[in-house]
Amino acid sequence: MHYSAPRTRRRMQSPGEHSLSSTSRSRDELARLMSVFGDTGSQRRRIGCKLVQSMKAALAKSLDRNGRASKQVAAGLQRIEKECRFTAAARAEFQDLLGTLGLDSAFPIKLPATSEPPWFRYAHPLKHYRSHAQLPAEADIVIIGAGLTGASAAYNLCEAAKQGLRVVVLDRGFPACEASGRNAGNFELLPENSVGTYDGLARERLNFLSRCYPAIPLEVLRVEAERQASLVFSFALRNRDRLKQIIEQENLDCDFSPKGWLYLAHTEREEQAICDELALANRQDQQIEVWSRLKIRREFGFERDFIGRFVPGDGTYHPAKFVYGVLQIAVNAGVQLYTDVSVRKVHDERDGRHVIDTEKGSLLSKSIIVATNAFTRELFPELKAIRPAQSQISVTEFAPDRCRGRAVTCEEGPVYFNQPREGARDGMAPLLLGGGKDRPLRNPSSRRRSPKTHAQLLELRDRYFPELHKRPFSTEWIGPIALTPDQLPAIGFLKQNIIVAAGFNGYGGSYCVAAGQVAAEMAISGTVPNWMPDDVFSPQRLLNDTPLFFAETSNLWCYAASLCVQLRALNRQLVEALENSSRGSRSHSVAPPSSKSSGGTGATQLIPLPALQSLKPFRGFSPEECAEILAFARARTRQKGEMLCTENGSEGACFVILEGSVHMTCDAPGGEKQLARLGPSSIIGHIALIDGGGRIGNCVVQQDTLLLEMRHDDCYQLLARHSPLAYKFLAALTDGVIQSLRGAERQLKRLNVRHHERNNANAL
């Protein structure tokens, strides 16, 4: 094997690592330097960076086992900061020294010179590793990117590699050098972005879907939002379970701390969202706790005006240690790893394989797993919808250990923080805190930090840890994240044998391990596993204006059935409102139907194709499709007063009104009450067709009416074909449910307004 040794970052060493004479000499040197700094004579010279750096070197040899200076040295350093004359650069360097030692500064806190995350201090032989001096000419599977997703995919391909499958991992830098090593080290069960107010997983899904697909009826998006919330929860749960399983099974040392995650509400609306999510968790047999303000104060010492949501089992870990741990297992199993190899382009060969051009040469591969997150569109411009953005995170040393291995988030800011276990001792721990709105950027390799976000991080830290308000950060860094329009990751086939797993929207800890698992399974089998909702996560959704979830007949049937449930519940509310409105006021009951033919078939007649196409439900149908509908549908005439169908009846047909009108009524105390007036293009009986239940009301012909009758058996035969016509027909039925739902909502709203006005009048 060939690899170059990693360059390790120098650290402050404890006295136990030096001889007594060495320690004495360092203390003498430190005393000398402090006397130079502390010379307060009128002729004192200006302090430059070199002198500060000399003090840092001397001080590094005189710290205690926790890396802290003695009280005497700490007091001397703080006196020096106040009394000495520094150059601007030297003062910044000196403030960094105070931040590293966990000492307060008397001056405004500036951006620290150090801009790398603490995860990078971890040294590992794979950091700059190449399995061979030259890239192989061919491979069966190539993984581009050695972060959390790529490392997880490599781990899940270990058995295949042992059996001879040629698996290669490429990374433009070193493993976990981008988003995976520049994150906060959290893993959460409810991954959902929002800025300002969090409305709960289902409502936030609806917010993003409404923004992405304004042409899709809101009623359908509500149903899909509930479905996606459940699927996202399930995927994050699989991710958390898989993360824990790997760590425990492989005995990985990665500071794993599943002590829980506290989400802090900051509005009454968010409190309601927390309560709504309890039901979602219960459906997945997961425990979510609601914490009172008193509980939050006892556990964390935070004074809050609102409740919190605590998820046991969530928490923190060291992402770089995890990545290197699973990569080492993969390399031991035969997976080849090549770091510092930048992929320039991917293009297709005629035989279905793909050529990967790199700065170190080209290789041919049957399958490719693209685990490049914010850099994805650089390789595949068609995925321009995956946009890079920056998050900014800081570390404050030696903070009170209030989190104790738990993660905390709040949309007020927003802010997220935890206290990594690696540096926790004696009731103190580093405080890792990030926040502010993620900033869009053109170049995901940019490392430019924002002074505005820096000031916001200081304000957020002081809100939760006020005793740290004078403490400089020891480091502050930015990391590239990848955002998608609907705030869901892109996982699935982009094209034949090219699998994308990217766009995690800042929630890599909640998605990446499971994303790597599914990518590995897809690379081996060439198919999407049953447990992965392809219509929700596939990158193909980013290439089309029409959402994938709205292009499946089975999905549309589910939407229609769910809308029917909503409509039946709304009609029950409507009946109650009608009963209330009739009390104490003149009755609005509908006269019973006449004794004319009830349920008769009526006369039949032919309907020309243009007449059918002019109706709203069939406007998108071709002449051939309309002809197919008319082949099993019949036109019927009904006279005024006839009962077309009865409430809770099981008549096996649905109707489309061509001419005339029908009133829908319900049985209620004091007589029948009118639910709706239905005119041309309205559909009757489609609710019973979709959900198999009884009729939701009595339908009485108001004037001589021409109807298109379609027997349920014929409709089922059409829908069973799963043809384009079947999809269009089901879409027309679904739209009919939506129109009925909207009409019922409008009528209920009017009744409630009248009821409110009547109550106010009675009160006066």
Side-chain angles (χ1 to χ4, degrees):
M1 292 185 178
H2 171 79
Y3 67 89
S4 55
R7 292 177 292 178
T8 58
R9 179 176 173 176
R10 294 185 62 185
R11 63 181 178 86
M12 292 188 172
Q13 298 167 320
S14 64
E17 295 174 276
H18 298 271
S19 66
L20 182 62
S21 59
S22 174
T23 303
S24 299
R25 287 196 300 271
S26 66
R27 287 176 178 169
D28 292 342
E29 176 67 9
L30 178 61
R32 186 188 70 77
L33 287 167
M34 290 186 69
S35 67
V36 172
F37 271 87
D39 179 9
T40 57
S42 59
Q43 300 301 318
R44 67 182 177 182
R45 58 195 178 88
R46 197 172 178 85
I47 304 300
C49 284
K50 287 186 177 180
L51 191 55
V52 177
Q53 291 167 357
S54 297
M55 172 166 279
K56 281 185 175 182
L59 187 61
K61 303 173 183 179
S62 63
L63 303 178
D64 65 17
R65 64 183 181 84
N66 295 329
R68 302 203 73 177
S70 67
K71 291 183 179 180
Q72 182 180 4
V73 171
L77 290 173
Q78 290 174 320
R79 179 177 60 82
I80 287 170
E81 186 197 37
K82 293 178 182 178
E83 296 180 358
C84 289
R85 297 173 61 238
F86 291 85
T87 64
R91 182 170 295 284
E93 189 91 15
F94 195 83
Q95 193 173 79
D96 279 6
L97 172 62
L98 296 179
T100 301
L101 298 174
L103 301 177
D104 293 347
S105 174
F107 293 89
I109 298 172
K110 304 294 184 181
L111 276 163
T114 305
S115 60
E116 298 295 343
W119 317 126
F120 285 5
R121 301 171 192 169
Y122 176 61
H124 195 280
L126 295 182
K127 199 160 193 177
H128 296 278
Y129 180 93
R130 291 185 187 172
S131 295
H132 302 283
Q134 301 294 326
L135 291 179
E138 295 186 18
D140 294 303
I141 301 174
V142 171
I143 303 169
I144 305 176
L148 284 165
T149 306
S152 174
Y155 175 83
N156 283 279
L157 291 168
C158 282
E159 290 304 316
K162 290 177 181 177
Q163 295 172 13
L165 201 71
R166 296 167 297 177
V167 181
V168 173
V169 181
L170 306 175
D171 197 280
R172 65 188 296 173
F174 53 86
C177 67
E178 291 296 344
S180 296
R182 293 180 173 274
N183 63 21
N186 294 338
F187 58 94
E188 302 162 343
L189 201 54
L190 292 165
E192 188 60 85
N193 274 321
S194 65
V195 176
T197 300
Y198 177 65
D199 284 334
L201 192 60
R203 289 196 184 95
E204 291 299 337
R205 288 278 83 242
L206 178 60
N207 292 339
F208 290 121
L209 290 174
S210 301
R211 187 184 309 167
C212 295
Y213 308 113
I216 303 297
L218 186 61
E219 292 79 3
V220 170
L221 293 182
R222 285 198 186 101
V223 178
E224 177 63 16
E226 291 284 349
R227 170 177 173 259
Q228 288 193 8
S230 179
L231 293 173
V232 167
F233 191 95
S234 298
F235 197 87
L237 178 59
R238 174 183 286 269
N239 182 89
R240 190 181 74 176
D241 290 345
R242 183 62 172 161
L243 174 70
K244 183 178 180 180
Q245 179 189 28
I246 293 173
I247 291 172
E248 293 180 348
Q249 181 176 303
E250 304 295 348
N251 197 26
L252 295 183
D253 178 16
C254 60
D255 306 327
F256 185 55
S257 177
K259 299 294 181 64
W261 164 42
L262 176 65
Y263 177 83
L264 300 169
H266 74 286
T267 65
E268 290 183 1
R269 193 162 126 190
E270 287 191 329
E271 286 188 323
Q272 181 60 49
I274 287 173
C275 295
D276 292 344
E277 284 177 336
L278 293 177
L280 176 63
N282 288 335
R283 290 196 295 270
Q284 301 279 355
D285 294 324
Q286 294 298 306
Q287 180 186 6
I288 288 182
E289 301 173 6
V290 175
W291 280 17
S292 66
R293 294 175 296 170
L294 177 60
K295 174 80 169 177
I296 295 170
R297 183 167 68 247
R298 286 176 176 172
E299 290 288 332
F300 286 88
F302 304 148
E303 292 292 341
R304 303 294 300 175
D305 295 328
F306 300 94
I307 63 172
R309 176 196 63 209
F310 186 76
V311 183
D314 285 0
T316 67
Y317 70 120
H318 193 303
K321 287 183 177 180
F322 177 82
V323 166
Y324 283 110
V326 296
L327 275 179
Q328 185 66 71
I329 296 167
V331 168
N332 293 344
V335 173
Q336 297 183 40
L337 172 64
Y338 297 89
T339 63
D340 302 304
V341 176
S342 180
V343 176
R344 294 173 173 170
K345 188 177 180 182
V346 175
H347 52 89
D348 306 332
E349 285 287 290
R350 292 181 179 178
D351 61 358
R353 294 187 293 177
H354 308 280
V355 176
I356 303 168
D357 291 330
T358 80
E359 59 182 3
K360 304 296 183 182
S362 299
L363 67 157
L364 194 64
S365 180
K366 177 182 177 182
S367 295
I368 298 175
I369 296 175
V370 183
T372 50
N373 208 36
F375 299 86
T376 301
R377 67 179 184 178
E378 294 183 1
L379 282 178
F380 298 96
E382 61 266 39
L383 292 177
K384 60 184 178 180
I386 301 178
R387 299 177 294 103
Q390 283 184 348
S391 62
Q392 194 157 321
I393 309 176
S394 66
V395 168
T396 307
E397 304 291 347
F398 304 105
D401 190 12
R402 294 181 187 160
C403 294
R404 303 196 302 279
R406 299 168 293 189
V408 181
T409 62
C410 181
E411 281 305 315
E412 188 179 22
V415 64
Y416 50 92
F417 54 90
N418 65 61
Q419 295 184 269
R421 297 295 85 198
E422 184 180 35
R425 55 181 62 90
D426 299 333
M428 309 294 283
L431 173 65
L432 188 152
L433 180 144
K437 188 175 181 179
D438 298 326
R439 294 180 294 127
L441 74 162
R442 294 181 180 178
N443 179 12
S445 298
S446 172
R447 298 290 182 261
R448 183 179 297 176
R449 298 172 296 178
S450 164
K452 181 179 179 181
T453 304
H454 167 76
Q456 191 171 10
L457 291 179
L458 287 170
E459 189 274 328
L460 289 168
R461 183 194 65 181
D462 296 350
R463 188 182 304 171
Y464 295 94
F465 291 79
E467 64 269 49
L468 301 177
H469 76 282
K470 293 184 179 180
R471 185 80 52 87
F473 296 143
S474 62
T475 181
E476 185 174 348
W477 69 95
I478 63 99
I481 62 176
L483 305 179
T484 59
D486 58 4
Q487 298 289 296
L488 289 179
I491 307 171
F493 287 108
L494 176 64
K495 56 179 73 173
Q496 184 181 9
N497 297 326
I498 294 184
I499 303 148
V500 172
F504 297 107
N505 297 281
Y507 285 92
S510 300
Y511 288 121
C512 286
V513 175
Q517 180 185 12
V518 71
E521 291 185 22
M522 292 171 66
I524 293 174
S525 68
T527 59
V528 180
N530 292 332
W531 58 269
M532 224 283 292
D534 194 43
D535 67 309
V536 174
F537 289 139
S538 172
Q540 294 293 331
R541 76 184 195 278
L542 304 177
L543 308 178
N544 300 283
D545 294 331
T546 301
L548 298 181
F549 63 78
F550 202 61
E552 295 287 338
T553 304
S554 58
N555 285 356
L556 194 59
W557 186 274
C558 293
Y559 302 144
S562 180
L563 293 171
C564 289
V565 172
Q566 296 179 42
L567 181 58
R568 290 185 184 278
L570 192 61
N571 276 336
R572 287 194 293 271
Q573 297 179 44
L574 192 55
V575 170
E576 293 176 1
L578 286 167
E579 292 177 3
N580 291 333
S581 67
S582 65
R583 295 192 186 107
S585 62
R586 186 163 51 183
S587 173
H588 295 281
S589 60
V590 179
S594 69
S595 58
K596 294 181 181 179
S597 170
S598 178
T601 58
T604 63
Q605 65 181 75
L606 294 177
I607 298 176
L609 287 179
L612 186 63
Q613 286 182 294
S614 67
L615 297 175
K616 185 177 179 181
F618 302 104
R619 283 175 187 167
F621 288 52
S622 67
E624 293 77 15
E625 290 169 334
C626 285
E628 194 168 345
I629 294 291
L630 291 176
F632 69 85
R634 295 291 182 270
R636 305 292 188 191
T637 56
R638 295 296 176 92
Q639 298 179 0
K640 180 179 179 179
E642 281 194 63
M643 182 75 77
L644 190 62
C645 52
T646 58
E647 185 176 358
N648 296 319
S650 58
E651 299 89 345
C654 58
F655 304 89
V656 180
I657 300 177
L658 301 172
E659 299 174 1
S661 64
V662 173
H663 284 191
M664 181 179 288
T665 65
C666 65
D667 297 325
E672 287 192 316
K673 307 295 181 183
Q674 182 172 293
L675 292 176
R677 298 176 182 176
L678 307 175
S681 292
S682 297
I683 305 177
I684 301 169
H686 51 313
I687 311 299
L689 170 65
I690 292 170
D691 67 7
R695 305 286 186 172
I696 62 174
N698 304 311
C699 290
V700 182
V701 177
Q702 183 67 13
Q703 62 186 76
D704 292 351
T705 300
L706 178 62
L707 301 156
L708 183 68
E709 180 185 48
M710 297 175 288
R711 305 299 300 176
H712 284 183
D713 290 344
D714 295 325
C715 294
Y716 287 132
Q717 288 180 17
L718 171 61
L719 294 171
R721 299 177 196 170
H722 298 288
S723 62
L725 174 59
Y727 177 81
K728 281 187 177 182
F729 184 65
L730 182 55
L733 294 178
T734 303
D735 186 66
V737 181
I738 291 171
Q739 298 308 318
S740 300
L741 193 59
R742 290 175 178 174
E745 287 175 339
R746 287 193 296 269
Q747 187 170 358
L748 182 60
K749 184 177 180 180
R750 286 194 296 267
L751 288 171
N752 287 336
V753 169
R754 291 173 187 170
H755 181 67
H756 181 69
E757 290 174 347
R758 188 167 63 249
N759 287 344
N760 287 342
N762 292 337
L764 294 175

